[in-house]
Amino acid sequence: MSLAEEFKFCPACATPLVPRASGGRARPICPACGRVIFRDPKVAAAALVEREGKVLLVRRVNEPERGKWSLPAGFVDRGEDPRRAAERECLEETGLVVRVGELMDVIYGAEHAAGADLVLVYRAEISEGVVNPHDDADAAAFFAPGEIPPLAFQATRTALDQWQAAAGGILARRGPPASRE
């Protein structure tokens, strides 16, 4: 959907908007009051929760990608700390209270019209709770690197590729187990 289709009238004076160049691209502009309409990016926050070498994923009950798996994630509300958003979404979707740690990555790319433009992926640790899927997930489970089910989004694939590469790097640095001869 183009900006001209999304925004038809000026929010300040209700004059019909017209597309004009502003800031190097066409944007809806009000010919009466000069207001330029900027479409802010949608931001989502995700929690990458690891336990015993496995990662927590949720199965989606809503479109798009219904029935496929993703990290517990959702949109950051205006005025909400993205770290708290990742914790909130994980609780809503899995029943687990988590504590967000380091920012793992910021992944760009809106995959569908209602999706996020930016996904902030945080590593998180379980503080309390038991896995109890709800909200927009009908299942939640931990998966080992070789057991990953069909994934819903490229952002999840990218984050899991990084997670697996880091896990492989840790194993490679440790080397093989010592022999017990």
Side-chain angles (χ1 to χ4, degrees):
M1 177 180 293
S2 73
L3 284 177
E5 294 169 322
E6 282 184 62
F7 301 98
K8 296 189 184 305
F9 299 96
C10 178
C13 69
T15 300
L17 299 169
V18 295
R20 289 198 182 138
S22 175
R25 62 176 57 175
R27 300 181 194 281
I29 298 178
C30 179
C33 71
R35 175 173 249 171
V36 179
I37 306 300
F38 294 93
R39 182 177 177 261
D40 294 332
K42 291 176 88 172
V43 178
L48 190 139
V49 181
E50 186 178 15
R51 182 174 70 188
E52 299 172 359
K54 297 180 178 185
V55 67
L56 178 64
L57 298 174
V58 296
R59 189 171 58 202
R60 296 180 50 78
V61 296
N62 298 321
E63 292 295 343
E65 304 292 342
R66 182 182 183 155
K68 292 186 180 177
W69 296 76
S70 68
L71 294 170
F75 291 114
V76 178
D77 293 329
R78 180 175 295 279
E80 182 179 29
D81 181 325
R83 294 171 185 276
R84 300 304 73 84
E87 292 170 346
R88 173 181 52 76
E89 288 291 339
C90 193
L91 177 62
E92 289 174 3
E93 295 180 359
T94 71
L96 295 172
V97 176
V98 298
R99 187 178 71 245
V100 162
E102 71 176 298
L103 176 65
M104 186 174 154
D105 199 359
V106 176
I107 302 169
Y108 169 76
E111 297 180 46
H112 55 88
D117 299 290
L118 300 169
V119 179
L120 288 69
V121 181
Y122 294 96
R123 291 190 175 275
E125 294 180 355
I126 299 171
S127 296
E128 62 183 79
V130 294
V131 175
N132 180 23
H134 50 287
D135 194 34
D136 53 354
D138 67 353
F142 286 87
F143 294 92
E147 303 170 340
I148 303 296
L151 299 174
F153 304 115
Q154 184 57 46
T156 295
R157 287 187 283 281
T158 298
L160 291 183
D161 286 348
Q162 292 177 20
W163 169 70
Q164 290 178 4
I170 290 168
L171 295 174
R173 285 194 299 276
R174 286 185 187 154
S179 79
R180 297 182 180 241
E181 296 178 43

